[in-house]
Amino acid sequence: MNAQDLSAFPMALQGDNVPMVSFKNVTKSYGSLVVLDALDLDVAEGEMVTIIGPSGSGKTTVLRMLMTLETINEGVIYVDGEPLTHMPNGNGLVPANRSHLRKMRSKIGMCFQHFNLFPHMTALENCMEGPVHVLGLSKKEARERSEELLALVGMAEKRDQHPSRLSGGQQQRVAIARAMAMRPKVMLFDEVTSALDPEVIGEVTNVIRKLVAEHNLTMLMVTHQMGFAKDISDRVCFFYGGRIEEQGTPDELFGNPRRERTQQFLSAVKEAV
Amino acid sequence: MSYLEFLGQYGDRILSGTLVTIVLTVLAAVLAVAIAVAAGLMRLSRNALIRGVATVYIEIFRGTSLLVQLYWIFFVLPLFGITLEKFTAGFVAVGMNLGAYGAELVRGAILSVPKGQWEAALALNMSPAKRMYRVILPQAVLIMLPPWGNLLIELLKGTALVSLIAVADLMFQVKQINGTTFLSAQSFGTALIIYYVLARFLLTPFMRWLERFMQRKLGRA
Ligand SMILES: Nc1ncnc2c1ncn2[C@@H]1O[C@H](COP(=O)(O)OP(=O)(O)OP(=O)(O)O)[C@@H](O)[C@H]1O
Ligand SMILES: [Mg+2]
């Protein structure tokens, strides 16, 4: 990777209304394939932003870069005002070291399309794993916190089951509780209902609705469920070819899309339903 | 001499040899597992030097004969000032050799744990070491237990070579009995049966039990 010129990027975002998440001129490519093309994206604290778009448009990549699962080729991502994978050094930014990365990661939680629960742990143990072994909470505290969250997602009764005994919808709800147990400021949801049978999608979307209503979380969600996106988001971003083709409130974007590609995508999605 | 008379006369020596073989097998297996885990993890290290050391070790011990390795450890190392008692040299050679094969099992099993498990552990902000031993290794163990069963049978059979440096194991005893009685069929036939029984009726059921035990422990049963 070429060392990029970072002098144009501030060491931290300051002032009023610093966004919780801020992509500044972020580019990601695999070889010659540009997946994110000079992306600028701000998400305010407490905001729920949904990303929609055709397959391969870079939606998952946005979330994975925020979770530090992918490296960044160009640009800087800021979370809570601080650079995510860079850190200040003297009067410039340099690639972050391990302890900076760990500090920044603690602000972010992620739920995956295929849940990725730890199969060798029960639902409760999955939720307690991070609090005990990362945050250093006592078993008792971690258990209380986890049981509360399992109750919130409606999984209190299944807390002693291993994931292999749970349905997809149940596993996903445990996965949400597991991520929440780390008390992140930003939650990322990557197509969390795509691997589910239609009849259980509602139990997961209802949990997300509850989180939106009861917690002041900043959320970034990738979904193919336009109806859900429409009634839950503060803002919807339509991605196309690694860029934001169009964004706006759900009413604007779904009710009155201005760009041709957005219109095409939305009518294609409507037909598929 | 009938076979019963043969057993009556030499049973003690055969039994003592069998016990030596069992102890050798257990010690070599413990060593092999330890080496396999260490070398398997080293092969996955990000550090090229650590990876290189493990690769060279595995190449040498898999690429050359166990017998030659045994002779090196027993006859050549003393020239460099490292003298091992023959029993020790015996299980160390077998353990180091099978450990090299085991390292590839460990590495393969770790790599076959789904990528999503690493990512979920990272998303929980777990350190690389915790990701490995709290999340990945427990799952890898379940994947690698069946091939380890085969490897341990190889290890048991491999211990027969230590008779060549005069460790009084089963093979050594029956060779001695054969040397004085010339009852080859009885001597080596008995050894054949004992090795088979150890592998088939001790080792295999033990590994099956271990698999079931781990499955239950990891919630897969
Ligand atoms: N590790 C990788 N190596 C090479 N190419 C990759 C890699 N990961 C993703 N890509 C490519 O990057 C592009 C964007 O991928 P991404 O997963 O972000 O798409 P997406 O918008 O989430 O699509 P989908 O709706 O299918 O999930 C795709 O063309 C994909 O093939
Ligand atoms: Mg995707």
Side-chain angles (χ1 to χ4, degrees), chain A residues 30 33 35 53-62 70 190-191 222 224:
Chain A
Y30 296 103
L33 175 71
V35 177
S55 183
S57 57
K59 306 180 300 291
T60 296
T61 306
V62 169
E70 303 286 347
D190 186 16
E191 292 197 35
V222 173
H224 286 294

Side-chain angles (χ1 to χ4, degrees), chain B residues 106-176:
Chain B
V106 171
R107 176 172 161 274
I110 288 173
L111 288 178
S112 65
V113 174
K115 223 176 90 222
Q117 293 291 310
W118 290 97
E119 296 182 346
L122 183 99
L124 288 180
N125 212 0
M126 296 173 89
S127 66
K130 290 225 165 103
R131 292 204 288 269
M132 182 57 87
Y133 75 81
R134 300 275 322 159
V135 174
I136 304 302
L137 270 184
Q139 298 182 57
V141 166
L142 215 50
I143 297 173
M144 67 179 138
L145 273 181
W148 265 105
N150 291 331
L151 200 59
L152 290 182
I153 289 175
E154 287 305 314
L155 184 146
L156 165 68
K157 293 189 282 188
T159 60
L161 288 181
V162 302
S163 62
L164 295 171
I165 56 169
V167 177
D169 75 332
L170 175 59
M171 191 59 200
F172 180 85
Q173 297 290 7
V174 295
K175 269 197 313 191
Q176 296 254 301

